[in-house]
Amino acid sequence: MQKPALRKVIAGAMILAVTALATAGCGAQGQKKTAAKDAAAPATSAKIKLNVGYLPTPGDVLFFVAKDKGFFDQEGLDVEMFQFTNSGEGLNAIKSGKLDTGAFGTAAPQTFIAKGTPFVVIAGMQSEGHGIVAKPENVDRFRTPQGFVGQRIATVRMSTGDAVWRYGLSQAGIDWKSQVTIMELDSPAAVIEAIKKGAADAGNVWAPFSEMAEQQGLKVADWSSSYMPGHVCCRVVAMDETLKAKRDAFVRFDKALIRAYDFYTRNQDETVNILANYVKIDKELLEKSTYSGHIHSIPDPDKKRFTAFWEAMKQDGYIQSDLDISRFIEPAIYKEALEQLRAAEPGNATYSRLEAEYKVNNL
């Protein structure tokens, strides 16, 4: 479960100072379900240990469901979960070998890759889900990119919403480096406080902080999907050498995430109850942020949108690199996991839909 204490162990290995935060049958039918479950489990009883990092947000819901519903265990994995406050911390833990994998944004791992860290994407976790918040009297100003000119905007560096917002400004002909005062803070909670106190005019946050901001009297002016529709967010990444050494474990890992997605789409109330063990906010807010339609939790690695994000960040000047980003995403692991589940449960409509989406998103 949660291991905040790990932060102390890995603090010395951290390079970045990006901090503070960040789902029974009976008779013949029952026998069919049991057989499918047995077929989904690995043949060996030996469990493979994986240390997994997460952020306490609805965006990592598939981790939480897979853990609490026993999907990791059923796939032959001994998964230990470690909480981090932001993507930079988590990625440094993966880079240093303290973690095997985790889901920490898209802008953040791509920034690391651009600087030489061989992270490889093996699955998806979240898409969209970032919002621009401001005081009610100022919110209309920030519904268009032009409203940010000359304003003080608080953000968390390397958060996906930050990168998408800057890209949106550039696309509107605004030079965010000179025309906007950008305040890079430690966490979305700090962003909210800066706006409330008048130190910032607006800010970038992610779910559930967008909903928490509204609870505290602020308003959401716009969503990241307005700047880049369908953009990917948290990707599940591992170091290249770790992936090569534990490839079978990551296939099992993706199977558990796919099963968690199937559960998350069909069991909303129980998913929210599971989330509440990891994201300590009011359940009503938690349900709103998870199932509002502004955030999407999908295990597909989505190579096409991941690549498009890279090109957008290069065009925007957010990253500088001549690397071929397609070498840093490995959708075949997800494909193998999905094929195994499809073979075990050919009648599962969720798996059938994911298979069709995979062909669109990755081939």
Side-chain angles (χ1 to χ4, degrees), residues 300-305 307 326 329-336 338-339 354-363:
D300 191 316
D302 205 335
K303 183 176 182 177
K304 288 184 178 178
R305 288 189 178 89
T307 302
S326 67
I329 182 168
E330 184 49 85
I333 291 176
Y334 173 82
K335 180 175 182 288
E336 184 176 340
L338 186 55
E339 287 174 344
L354 288 177
E355 187 175 58
E357 291 175 355
Y358 174 85
K359 295 175 182 178
V360 174
N361 297 334
N362 298 279
L363 300 181

Side-chain angles (χ1 to χ4, degrees), residues 126-131 205-207 210 223-225 231 294-296:
Q126 174 194 336
S127 296
E128 301 183 343
H130 297 252
V205 298
W206 55 82
S210 45
W223 294 93
S224 55
S225 55
H231 72 81
H294 293 299
I295 185 173
H296 312 281

Side-chain angles (χ1 to χ4, degrees), residues 162-184:
D162 171 51
V164 170
W165 167 71
R166 298 191 200 207
Y167 170 75
L169 294 188
S170 294
Q171 290 297 102
I174 298 168
D175 183 356
W176 50 263
K177 296 178 182 178
S178 62
Q179 293 183 275
V180 183
T181 300
I182 298 178
M183 305 163 55
E184 295 181 353

